[in-house]
PDB file of all heavy atoms in Angstrom:
ATOM      1  N   VAL A  14       0.840  -1.194   0.000  1.00  0.00           N
ATOM      2  CA  VAL A  14       0.000   0.000   0.000  1.00  0.00           C
ATOM      3  C   VAL A  14       0.877   1.246   0.000  1.00  0.00           C
ATOM      4  O   VAL A  14       1.964   1.264   0.590  1.00  0.00           O
ATOM      5  CB  VAL A  14      -0.987   0.032   1.189  1.00  0.00           C
ATOM      6  CG1 VAL A  14      -1.895  -1.186   1.185  1.00  0.00           C
ATOM      7  CG2 VAL A  14      -0.264   0.167   2.514  1.00  0.00           C
ATOM      8  N   SER A  15       0.400   2.284  -0.646  1.00  0.00           N
ATOM      9  CA  SER A  15       1.158   3.533  -0.750  1.00  0.00           C
ATOM     10  C   SER A  15       1.012   4.344   0.529  1.00  0.00           C
ATOM     11  O   SER A  15      -0.036   4.331   1.180  1.00  0.00           O
ATOM     12  CB  SER A  15       0.667   4.347  -1.946  1.00  0.00           C
ATOM     13  OG  SER A  15      -0.739   4.540  -1.862  1.00  0.00           O
ATOM     14  N   LEU A  16       2.079   5.060   0.900  1.00  0.00           N
ATOM     15  CA  LEU A  16       2.035   5.854   2.116  1.00  0.00           C
ATOM     16  C   LEU A  16       2.966   7.055   2.014  1.00  0.00           C
ATOM     17  O   LEU A  16       3.885   7.076   1.196  1.00  0.00           O
ATOM     18  CB  LEU A  16       2.381   5.001   3.344  1.00  0.00           C
ATOM     19  CG  LEU A  16       3.755   4.327   3.419  1.00  0.00           C
ATOM     20  CD1 LEU A  16       4.822   5.246   3.989  1.00  0.00           C
ATOM     21  CD2 LEU A  16       3.672   3.048   4.243  1.00  0.00           C
ATOM     22  N   ARG A  17       2.710   8.034   2.873  1.00  0.00           N
ATOM     23  CA  ARG A  17       3.590   9.179   3.049  1.00  0.00           C
ATOM     24  C   ARG A  17       3.754   9.416   4.548  1.00  0.00           C
ATOM     25  O   ARG A  17       2.868   9.099   5.347  1.00  0.00           O
ATOM     26  CB  ARG A  17       3.024  10.451   2.407  1.00  0.00           C
ATOM     27  CG  ARG A  17       2.875  10.397   0.905  1.00  0.00           C
ATOM     28  CD  ARG A  17       4.221  10.432   0.189  1.00  0.00           C
ATOM     29  NE  ARG A  17       4.028  10.488  -1.249  1.00  0.00           N
ATOM     30  CZ  ARG A  17       3.918   9.423  -2.034  1.00  0.00           C
ATOM     31  NH1 ARG A  17       3.974   8.198  -1.503  1.00  0.00           N
ATOM     32  NH2 ARG A  17       3.740   9.563  -3.332  1.00  0.00           N
ATOM     33  N   VAL A  18       4.886  10.031   4.908  1.00  0.00           N
ATOM     34  CA  VAL A  18       5.184  10.320   6.310  1.00  0.00           C
ATOM     35  C   VAL A  18       5.510  11.798   6.462  1.00  0.00           C
ATOM     36  O   VAL A  18       6.376  12.332   5.756  1.00  0.00           O
ATOM     37  CB  VAL A  18       6.359   9.464   6.822  1.00  0.00           C
ATOM     38  CG1 VAL A  18       6.792   9.914   8.208  1.00  0.00           C
ATOM     39  CG2 VAL A  18       5.970   7.989   6.834  1.00  0.00           C
ATOM     40  N   VAL A  19       4.798  12.447   7.389  1.00  0.00           N
ATOM     41  CA  VAL A  19       5.024  13.853   7.734  1.00  0.00           C
ATOM     42  C   VAL A  19       5.430  13.891   9.201  1.00  0.00           C
ATOM     43  O   VAL A  19       4.676  13.439  10.069  1.00  0.00           O
ATOM     44  CB  VAL A  19       3.743  14.689   7.531  1.00  0.00           C
ATOM     45  CG1 VAL A  19       4.023  16.166   7.798  1.00  0.00           C
ATOM     46  CG2 VAL A  19       3.154  14.483   6.143  1.00  0.00           C
ATOM     47  N   LEU A  20       6.623  14.406   9.497  1.00  0.00           N
ATOM     48  CA  LEU A  20       7.128  14.419  10.864  1.00  0.00           C
ATOM     49  C   LEU A  20       7.507  15.829  11.306  1.00  0.00           C
ATOM     50  O   LEU A  20       7.965  16.630  10.486  1.00  0.00           O
ATOM     51  CB  LEU A  20       8.376  13.534  10.996  1.00  0.00           C
ATOM     52  CG  LEU A  20       8.227  12.031  10.829  1.00  0.00           C
ATOM     53  CD1 LEU A  20       9.577  11.359  11.046  1.00  0.00           C
ATOM     54  CD2 LEU A  20       7.190  11.462  11.779  1.00  0.00           C
ATOM     55  N   PRO A  21       7.364  16.119  12.597  1.00  0.00           N
ATOM     56  CA  PRO A  21       7.924  17.372  13.119  1.00  0.00           C
ATOM     57  C   PRO A  21       9.445  17.312  13.158  1.00  0.00           C
ATOM     58  O   PRO A  21      10.033  16.241  13.332  1.00  0.00           O
ATOM     59  CB  PRO A  21       7.338  17.468  14.539  1.00  0.00           C
ATOM     60  CG  PRO A  21       7.020  16.061  14.913  1.00  0.00           C
ATOM     61  CD  PRO A  21       6.664  15.345  13.640  1.00  0.00           C
ATOM     62  N   GLU A  22      10.065  18.456  12.993  1.00  0.00           N
ATOM     63  CA  GLU A  22      11.526  18.529  13.035  1.00  0.00           C
ATOM     64  C   GLU A  22      12.036  18.242  14.443  1.00  0.00           C
ATOM     65  O   GLU A  22      11.414  18.630  15.440  1.00  0.00           O
ATOM     66  CB  GLU A  22      11.988  19.920  12.602  1.00  0.00           C
ATOM     67  CG  GLU A  22      13.488  20.069  12.535  1.00  0.00           C
ATOM     68  CD  GLU A  22      13.911  21.429  11.989  1.00  0.00           C
ATOM     69  OE1 GLU A  22      13.211  22.424  12.273  1.00  0.00           O
ATOM     70  OE2 GLU A  22      14.935  21.492  11.309  1.00  0.00           O
ATOM     71  N   VAL A  23      13.164  17.549  14.521  1.00  0.00           N
ATOM     72  CA  VAL A  23      13.804  17.238  15.796  1.00  0.00           C
ATOM     73  C   VAL A  23      15.217  17.824  15.762  1.00  0.00           C
ATOM     74  O   VAL A  23      16.123  17.212  15.191  1.00  0.00           O
ATOM     75  CB  VAL A  23      13.865  15.720  16.040  1.00  0.00           C
ATOM     76  CG1 VAL A  23      14.438  15.437  17.430  1.00  0.00           C
ATOM     77  CG2 VAL A  23      12.498  15.087  15.884  1.00  0.00           C
ATOM     78  N   PRO A  24      15.423  18.991  16.332  1.00  0.00           N
ATOM     79  CA  PRO A  24      16.760  19.603  16.273  1.00  0.00           C
ATOM     80  C   PRO A  24      17.833  18.670  16.814  1.00  0.00           C
ATOM     81  O   PRO A  24      17.639  17.982  17.820  1.00  0.00           O
ATOM     82  CB  PRO A  24      16.605  20.850  17.161  1.00  0.00           C
ATOM     83  CG  PRO A  24      15.149  21.171  17.084  1.00  0.00           C
ATOM     84  CD  PRO A  24      14.450  19.841  17.020  1.00  0.00           C
ATOM     85  N   ASP A  25      18.966  18.631  16.114  1.00  0.00           N
ATOM     86  CA  ASP A  25      20.136  17.839  16.501  1.00  0.00           C
ATOM     87  C   ASP A  25      19.933  16.336  16.367  1.00  0.00           C
ATOM     88  O   ASP A  25      20.814  15.558  16.703  1.00  0.00           O
ATOM     89  CB  ASP A  25      20.583  18.157  17.938  1.00  0.00           C
ATOM     90  CG  ASP A  25      20.930  19.619  18.107  1.00  0.00           C
ATOM     91  OD1 ASP A  25      21.512  20.191  17.160  1.00  0.00           O
ATOM     92  OD2 ASP A  25      20.607  20.185  19.160  1.00  0.00           O
ATOM     93  N   ARG A  26      18.765  15.905  15.883  1.00  0.00           N
ATOM     94  CA  ARG A  26      18.568  14.466  15.717  1.00  0.00           C
ATOM     95  C   ARG A  26      17.961  14.138  14.357  1.00  0.00           C
ATOM     96  O   ARG A  26      18.403  13.229  13.685  1.00  0.00           O
ATOM     97  CB  ARG A  26      17.698  13.910  16.844  1.00  0.00           C
ATOM     98  CG  ARG A  26      17.800  12.412  16.962  1.00  0.00           C
ATOM     99  CD  ARG A  26      17.338  11.922  18.310  1.00  0.00           C
ATOM    100  NE  ARG A  26      18.156  12.417  19.408  1.00  0.00           N
ATOM    101  CZ  ARG A  26      17.909  12.154  20.679  1.00  0.00           C
ATOM    102  NH1 ARG A  26      16.862  11.438  21.007  1.00  0.00           N
ATOM    103  NH2 ARG A  26      18.701  12.621  21.615  1.00  0.00           N
ATOM    104  N   MET A  27      16.939  14.871  13.975  1.00  0.00           N
ATOM    105  CA  MET A  27      16.409  14.749  12.617  1.00  0.00           C
ATOM    106  C   MET A  27      15.857  16.114  12.232  1.00  0.00           C
ATOM    107  O   MET A  27      14.766  16.492  12.651  1.00  0.00           O
ATOM    108  CB  MET A  27      15.325  13.694  12.502  1.00  0.00           C
ATOM    109  CG  MET A  27      14.879  13.481  11.061  1.00  0.00           C
ATOM    110  SD  MET A  27      13.780  12.086  10.863  1.00  0.00           S
ATOM    111  CE  MET A  27      12.395  12.629  11.865  1.00  0.00           C
ATOM    112  N   ASP A  28      16.633  16.855  11.494  1.00  0.00           N
ATOM    113  CA  ASP A  28      16.240  18.210  11.148  1.00  0.00           C
ATOM    114  C   ASP A  28      16.419  18.420   9.651  1.00  0.00           C
ATOM    115  O   ASP A  28      16.674  17.485   8.902  1.00  0.00           O
ATOM    116  CB  ASP A  28      17.044  19.232  11.955  1.00  0.00           C
ATOM    117  CG  ASP A  28      18.542  18.983  11.878  1.00  0.00           C
ATOM    118  OD1 ASP A  28      19.006  18.432  10.859  1.00  0.00           O
ATOM    119  OD2 ASP A  28      19.246  19.338  12.836  1.00  0.00           O
ATOM    120  N   ARG A  29      16.270  19.660   9.238  1.00  0.00           N
ATOM    121  CA  ARG A  29      16.322  19.960   7.806  1.00  0.00           C
ATOM    122  C   ARG A  29      17.680  19.625   7.189  1.00  0.00           C
ATOM    123  O   ARG A  29      17.778  19.403   5.992  1.00  0.00           O
ATOM    124  CB  ARG A  29      15.996  21.437   7.582  1.00  0.00           C
ATOM    125  CG  ARG A  29      14.520  21.746   7.625  1.00  0.00           C
ATOM    126  CD  ARG A  29      14.254  23.224   7.847  1.00  0.00           C
ATOM    127  NE  ARG A  29      14.417  23.571   9.250  1.00  0.00           N
ATOM    128  CZ  ARG A  29      14.305  24.803   9.728  1.00  0.00           C
ATOM    129  NH1 ARG A  29      14.065  25.801   8.899  1.00  0.00           N
ATOM    130  NH2 ARG A  29      14.455  25.039  11.012  1.00  0.00           N
ATOM    131  N   GLU A  30      18.715  19.574   7.983  1.00  0.00           N
ATOM    132  CA  GLU A  30      20.043  19.264   7.460  1.00  0.00           C
ATOM    133  C   GLU A  30      20.292  17.755   7.374  1.00  0.00           C
ATOM    134  O   GLU A  30      21.048  17.293   6.532  1.00  0.00           O
ATOM    135  CB  GLU A  30      21.125  19.910   8.328  1.00  0.00           C
ATOM    136  CG  GLU A  30      21.269  21.411   8.142  1.00  0.00           C
ATOM    137  CD  GLU A  30      20.082  22.204   8.666  1.00  0.00           C
ATOM    138  OE1 GLU A  30      19.582  21.861   9.764  1.00  0.00           O
ATOM    139  OE2 GLU A  30      19.642  23.141   7.978  1.00  0.00           O
ATOM    140  N   SER A  31      19.667  16.983   8.254  1.00  0.00           N
ATOM    141  CA  SER A  31      20.015  15.559   8.340  1.00  0.00           C
ATOM    142  C   SER A  31      18.938  14.620   7.804  1.00  0.00           C
ATOM    143  O   SER A  31      19.218  13.448   7.549  1.00  0.00           O
ATOM    144  CB  SER A  31      20.296  15.191   9.805  1.00  0.00           C
ATOM    145  OG  SER A  31      19.133  15.366  10.600  1.00  0.00           O
ATOM    146  N   VAL A  32      17.698  15.072   7.636  1.00  0.00           N
ATOM    147  CA  VAL A  32      16.614  14.180   7.240  1.00  0.00           C
ATOM    148  C   VAL A  32      16.829  13.654   5.823  1.00  0.00           C
ATOM    149  O   VAL A  32      17.368  14.339   4.950  1.00  0.00           O
ATOM    150  CB  VAL A  32      15.255  14.907   7.342  1.00  0.00           C
ATOM    151  CG1 VAL A  32      15.159  16.047   6.325  1.00  0.00           C
ATOM    152  CG2 VAL A  32      14.099  13.932   7.166  1.00  0.00           C
ATOM    153  N   THR A  33      16.419  12.402   5.602  1.00  0.00           N
ATOM    154  CA  THR A  33      16.459  11.798   4.268  1.00  0.00           C
ATOM    155  C   THR A  33      15.108  11.136   4.005  1.00  0.00           C
ATOM    156  O   THR A  33      14.252  11.018   4.899  1.00  0.00           O
ATOM    157  CB  THR A  33      17.563  10.729   4.157  1.00  0.00           C
ATOM    158  OG1 THR A  33      17.153   9.554   4.883  1.00  0.00           O
ATOM    159  CG2 THR A  33      18.892  11.246   4.698  1.00  0.00           C
ATOM    160  N   LEU A  34      14.926  10.656   2.788  1.00  0.00           N
ATOM    161  CA  LEU A  34      13.686   9.976   2.441  1.00  0.00           C
ATOM    162  C   LEU A  34      13.537   8.650   3.174  1.00  0.00           C
ATOM    163  O   LEU A  34      12.462   8.054   3.162  1.00  0.00           O
ATOM    164  CB  LEU A  34      13.610   9.757   0.926  1.00  0.00           C
ATOM    165  CG  LEU A  34      13.240  10.994   0.105  1.00  0.00           C
ATOM    166  CD1 LEU A  34      13.387  10.711  -1.380  1.00  0.00           C
ATOM    167  CD2 LEU A  34      11.810  11.446   0.422  1.00  0.00           C
ATOM    168  N   GLU A  35      14.582   8.163   3.814  1.00  0.00           N
ATOM    169  CA  GLU A  35      14.456   6.973   4.654  1.00  0.00           C
ATOM    170  C   GLU A  35      13.790   7.302   5.985  1.00  0.00           C
ATOM    171  O   GLU A  35      13.397   6.394   6.724  1.00  0.00           O
ATOM    172  CB  GLU A  35      15.828   6.351   4.895  1.00  0.00           C
ATOM    173  CG  GLU A  35      16.468   5.776   3.643  1.00  0.00           C
ATOM    174  CD  GLU A  35      17.811   5.143   3.923  1.00  0.00           C
ATOM    175  OE1 GLU A  35      18.327   5.335   5.047  1.00  0.00           O
ATOM    176  OE2 GLU A  35      18.346   4.474   3.031  1.00  0.00           O
ATOM    177  N   ASP A  36      13.688   8.590   6.301  1.00  0.00           N
ATOM    178  CA  ASP A  36      13.057   9.028   7.546  1.00  0.00           C
ATOM    179  C   ASP A  36      11.625   9.493   7.331  1.00  0.00           C
ATOM    180  O   ASP A  36      10.715   9.117   8.075  1.00  0.00           O
ATOM    181  CB  ASP A  36      13.851  10.189   8.165  1.00  0.00           C
ATOM    182  CG  ASP A  36      15.276   9.825   8.490  1.00  0.00           C
ATOM    183  OD1 ASP A  36      15.478   8.802   9.161  1.00  0.00           O
ATOM    184  OD2 ASP A  36      16.191  10.553   8.056  1.00  0.00           O
ATOM    185  N   ALA A  37      11.417  10.363   6.345  1.00  0.00           N
ATOM    186  CA  ALA A  37      10.117  11.007   6.153  1.00  0.00           C
ATOM    187  C   ALA A  37      10.049  11.591   4.749  1.00  0.00           C
ATOM    188  O   ALA A  37      11.061  11.731   4.059  1.00  0.00           O
ATOM    189  CB  ALA A  37       9.913  12.107   7.191  1.00  0.00           C
ATOM    190  N   ASP A  38       8.820  11.917   4.338  1.00  0.00           N
ATOM    191  CA  ASP A  38       8.613  12.601   3.061  1.00  0.00           C
ATOM    192  C   ASP A  38       8.513  14.110   3.234  1.00  0.00           C
ATOM    193  O   ASP A  38       8.876  14.881   2.340  1.00  0.00           O
ATOM    194  CB  ASP A  38       7.341  12.075   2.394  1.00  0.00           C
ATOM    195  CG  ASP A  38       7.440  10.598   2.093  1.00  0.00           C
ATOM    196  OD1 ASP A  38       8.214  10.217   1.205  1.00  0.00           O
ATOM    197  OD2 ASP A  38       6.737   9.809   2.780  1.00  0.00           O
TER     198      ASP A  38
END
């Protein structure tokens, strides 16, 4: 089944600099 993931930013752990498509869309 098709899906998308929307997550809040997590500074120093998953943010705009470190996030990849393996984490979220």
Side-chain angles (χ1 to χ4, degrees):
V14 302
S15 54
L16 61 85
R17 296 289 185 271
V18 172
V19 184
L20 293 182
E22 183 175 35
V23 184
D25 301 322
R26 197 161 297 178
M27 186 172 63
D28 51 28
R29 280 162 281 177
E30 285 69 42
S31 63
V32 66
T33 73
L34 283 172
E35 293 181 349
D36 300 309
D38 298 290

